Amino acid sequence: MDQKQLEQEVNKRRTFAIISHPDAGKTTITEQMLYFGGVIRSAGTVKAKKSGQFATSDWMEIEKKRGISVTSSVMQFHYRGKDINILDTPGHEDFSEDTYRTLMAVDAAVMVIDSAKGIEPQTKKLFKVVKKRGIPIFTFMNKLDRDGRDPLDLIAELEELLNIEGCAMNWPIGMGKELKGLYDISNNRLELYRKDGDDRFLPLNDEGQLAEHNPIEDEGVYDQALGEVDLIKEAGNKFDLDKIKAGNQTPVFFGSALTNFGVETFLNTFLDMAPAPAEHKEKDSDEVVKPDDPQFSAFVFKIQANMNPNHRDRIAFVRICSGEFVRGMDVTLQRTGKVMRLNNATEFMSDQRETVKTAVAGDIVGLYDTGNFQIGDTIYEGKKSVQFEDLPQFTPEMFMEVQAKNVMKQKSFHKGMQQLVQEGAVQLYKKYTTNDYILGAVGQLQFEVFQFRMKNEYNCDVVMKPIGSRIARWVDPEQLDQSMSSTRNMLVKDLDDKPLFLFENRFAENWFANKYPDVKLTSKL
Ligand code: GDP
């Protein structure tokens, strides 16, 4: 495509993640969006897939068993002239590393909050990451069809706990059994509850009043809503698109995903405000890569094996940062300098994978991978080398010794281990002298998923022996003397053969630091 077409295509892209505390309604609202996008015929099918009816992969089994969303996935659809990429994020905090990386691949985030619960712990954690990214964040206060908390309280809590300005875009008229509708401030209209079609909207006049008679029978809740709307118009934060774009103000929408109330208005308003693909900074440089730069470039933010048990394949999820992806194109893998041909790629229309036709900056594509890619890799077309910034890696805090239960299964053990480690599912270390395997994770559930997948996908039972919570500290190999290893620490090496100590606790670390004051310990690679 020519430059003008590229710019037009890029400007149509909207790529965002949905974050929430488990059960706030993320899946339900995603379904509604897919429904508007014509990807699914009725809302309710995504969850059905999750519950096993259409189970398409082994790892979904574990989601089913634990009733949580373990892995992040990608869904794409067209809607009102835009090409949308939604990235789902795991709800469980043990997978926050996966979530961090996913958030590196998006240009905006939607935060779903249960209006009966307000800001829950996981919302707070995820919000922090989004805030660090400095991307716009849009809030959906869900479950209005149930009795929830006072909307003014909810916004006050959001501002206080998350330290961001909230700006109400609409306001509930009643709640729970009393729910009558929404006062839509940003579109100056009312949206009635439990009404289909366009006649659910009633225009307001310039004073923000209904011109005609009021169809909302219960005047009490209507008058109260009007009073509150006056109050926030007067005293609330003023809508400020620049602040929103910088992630310093969040537009707040109320609604009910389950009854499909307020979701369409949310989606439309959100898409009007959400940014087109952003530029990406290069590593150790002031240079940025612009999305409409014709040179194709992308980075790998996630690797997933065995998504489909019928095809034992591995997919590297890449975010395109510039240019156009063309099937069969040659790209350079920056880390190795190796040139490879991208023949096999897929996009993600809900759960059916479709072969990519056109993909441009902003899009997420899946590349079938035979073990070439690592998380954080940059790929680019042409001569000019590009390297994007590293993706965040968490320092593990829990460690396990691991081995195959059956020594005859060494081959599948090694294969599974290698693939799952490449996916970033767990971190792998080896004892410095014996080369015994040690796994590191941020949360316990990562180990459980590892064990489950080793058995299910690689037919290998593993035995894991906890060595407890530890503090990992890297040490300069020049300064390392193996006699520094004692009963209070364990000397291991990482995948790059860099040495590190696993200390039992802070006390052991301090003891070491006192004994070897010149040895520098670092918490990151
Ligand atoms: P997730 O864990 O954030 O993906 O949450 P889900 O979308 O799976 O929703 C969790 C539960 O809340 C499910 O039982 C949903 O049916 C329910 N739910 C979601 N949205 C609403 C809503 O707007 N109103 C009510 N009453 N329930 C909802």
Side-chain angles (χ1 to χ4, degrees):
M1 66 178 74
D2 64 28
Q3 184 61 26
K4 192 148 173 264
Q5 272 173 315
L6 176 64
E7 281 166 29
Q8 276 170 352
E9 284 296 321
V10 170
N11 278 325
K12 281 200 272 182
R13 264 57 186 182
R14 294 294 180 274
T15 302
F16 62 93
I18 308 189
I19 61 169
S20 76
H21 190 88
D23 273 348
K26 190 178 56 170
T27 312
T28 312
I29 199 168
T30 307
E31 275 181 326
Q32 293 290 355
M33 291 182 185
L34 294 177
Y35 173 68
F36 297 135
V39 176
I40 52 175
R41 246 168 265 138
S42 70
T45 48
V46 175
K47 207 62 182 187
K49 272 173 192 151
K50 266 196 179 174
S51 67
Q53 211 178 328
F54 302 95
T56 50
S57 71
D58 293 345
W59 52 262
M60 280 185 180
E61 282 291 309
I62 201 155
E63 298 191 328
K64 193 176 79 186
K65 281 199 177 142
R66 316 268 323 202
I68 53 160
S69 169
V70 172
T71 36
S72 32
S73 50
V74 180
M75 278 156 288
Q76 291 171 327
F77 62 97
H78 310 283
Y79 178 71
R80 298 217 313 175
K82 301 236 160 66
D83 285 304
I84 294 156
N85 295 266
I86 303 186
L87 279 68
D88 189 16
T89 52
H92 198 285
E93 65 175 302
D94 284 7
F95 297 95
S96 37
E97 190 167 347
D98 206 21
T99 302
Y100 264 75
R101 296 192 205 113
T102 298
L103 289 173
M104 299 300 283
V106 299
D107 301 303
V110 168
M111 174 165 72
V112 180
I113 292 172
D114 182 334
S115 56
K117 303 219 170 111
I119 308 296
E120 296 179 87
Q122 189 61 4
T123 317
K124 213 173 147 182
K125 281 191 184 159
L126 292 165
F127 177 85
K128 266 195 191 155
V129 185
V130 181
K131 189 86 175 65
K132 243 193 220 148
R133 286 270 286 118
I135 53 177
I137 174 156
F138 299 80
T139 303
F140 189 81
M141 295 283 185
N142 192 26
K143 307 199 184 180
L144 217 53
D145 58 300
R146 286 214 195 135
D147 283 327
R149 293 181 25 197
D150 176 357
L152 284 169
D153 268 3
L154 285 168
I155 294 193
E157 183 186 77
L158 176 141
E159 297 200 327
E160 195 180 302
L161 291 184
L162 304 183
N163 196 18
I164 186 170
E165 280 185 12
C167 178
M169 305 302 285
N170 58 29
W171 204 256
I173 305 171
M175 204 181 251
K177 286 204 178 65
E178 302 269 81
L179 179 61
K180 301 291 175 198
L182 285 171
Y183 186 107
D184 185 344
I185 303 167
S186 73
N187 295 298
N188 202 36
R189 65 185 183 191
L190 294 190
E191 182 168 350
L192 301 179
Y193 184 50
R194 293 220 178 276
K195 255 194 145 89
D196 284 336
D198 281 345
D199 64 351
R200 70 183 191 275
F201 298 117
L202 300 176
L204 297 171
N205 63 23
D206 290 347
E207 279 84 54
Q209 302 281 345
L210 270 175
E212 294 156 30
H213 83 285
N214 187 348
I216 297 176
E217 294 143 31
D218 189 335
E219 299 286 340
V221 287
Y222 181 65
D223 288 345
Q224 189 189 341
L226 272 191
E228 287 171 350
V229 167
D230 279 345
L231 185 73
I232 51 173
K233 277 185 181 167
E234 191 84 356
N237 296 307
K238 298 280 164 282
F239 177 85
D240 183 333
L241 198 56
D242 288 334
K243 279 190 185 169
I244 292 170
K245 291 204 157 144
N248 293 324
Q249 183 181 82
T250 178
V252 180
F253 300 77
F254 289 85
S256 158
L258 191 66
T259 60
N260 190 12
F261 176 59
V263 180
E264 194 174 3
T265 305
F266 165 68
L267 184 61
N268 293 345
T269 317
F270 160 63
L271 288 176
D272 287 342
M273 286 191 266
E279 52 191 36
H280 284 257
K281 214 175 133 339
E282 289 191 60
K283 190 180 176 182
D284 301 328
S285 131
D286 295 332
E287 303 263 309
V288 289
V289 173
K290 295 222 159 76
D292 54 6
D293 184 335
Q295 183 192 16
F296 168 85
S297 69
F299 66 85
V300 179
F301 65 94
K302 175 185 171 67
I303 291 176
Q304 174 116 39
N306 311 328
M307 277 180 68
N308 184 338
N310 301 322
H311 316 257
R312 290 262 162 199
D313 48 15
R314 235 169 82 109
I315 289 186
F317 291 72
V318 307
R319 150 88 193 210
I320 304 177
C321 298
S322 63
E324 181 192 4
F325 170 88
V326 182
R327 180 208 277 275
M329 75 195 304
D330 288 331
V331 298
T332 304
L333 175 60
Q334 183 277 331
R335 177 173 45 83
T336 58
K338 194 172 143 187
V339 176
M340 52 174 80
R341 181 154 293 176
L342 302 182
N343 277 323
N344 230 337
T346 178
E347 62 185 337
F348 309 90
M349 302 294 281
S350 182
D351 217 50
Q352 292 164 344
R353 288 194 229 157
E354 298 204 343
T355 309
V356 174
K357 287 166 221 96
T358 333
V360 297
D363 281 326
I364 309 295
V365 292
L367 302 175
Y368 288 91
D369 177 30
T370 49
N372 290 312
F373 295 120
Q374 283 180 16
I375 287 165
D377 274 346
T378 300
I379 51 176
Y380 60 89
E381 186 190 23
K383 293 242 160 1
K384 190 175 155 274
S385 174
V386 183
Q387 182 180 13
F388 294 110
E389 290 188 286
D390 293 335
L391 295 188
Q393 204 182 43
F394 285 24
T395 307
E397 289 163 9
M398 308 173 99
F399 298 87
M400 293 261 190
E401 276 184 45
V402 59
Q403 61 196 91
K405 200 170 195 172
N406 180 349
V407 283
M408 302 303 284
K409 292 266 178 170
Q410 287 303 331
K411 210 173 152 204
S412 40
F413 176 72
H414 285 289
K415 185 173 174 209
M417 178 83 102
Q418 191 204 2
Q419 295 203 342
L420 295 181
V421 167
Q422 252 172 345
E423 271 186 37
V426 282
Q427 309 274 344
L428 179 64
Y429 304 94
K430 287 178 192 165
K431 278 197 191 164
Y432 206 74
T433 41
T434 60
N435 281 331
D436 290 340
Y437 285 137
I438 307 278
L439 293 182
V442 182
Q444 176 66 24
L445 208 49
Q446 278 178 269
F447 292 128
E448 289 177 30
V449 171
F450 170 81
Q451 192 164 27
F452 180 91
R453 292 186 58 188
M454 283 297 280
K455 183 165 171 46
N456 270 268
E457 293 166 27
Y458 302 95
N459 195 21
C460 177
D461 280 304
V462 296
V463 202
M464 299 202 287
K465 195 173 110 211
I467 58 170
S469 297
R470 299 271 173 142
I471 303 167
R473 293 285 180 263
W474 277 261
V475 58
D476 184 349
E478 303 271 302
Q479 293 191 307
L480 180 69
D481 177 342
Q482 283 193 40
S483 67
M484 291 170 181
S485 177
S486 75
T487 51
R488 287 206 184 103
N489 64 45
M490 185 185 275
L491 179 58
V492 301
K493 56 192 169 191
D494 65 16
L495 278 184
D496 301 321
D497 280 339
K498 293 197 183 122
L500 63 151
F501 285 107
L502 305 180
F503 293 106
E504 234 168 63
N505 47 35
R506 198 65 64 200
F507 175 78
E509 185 192 351
N510 290 342
W511 183 85
F512 183 97
N514 284 333
K515 187 156 183 202
Y516 307 103
D518 300 333
V519 176
K520 219 176 132 238
L521 298 170
T522 50
S523 61
K524 285 235 167 68
L525 307 172

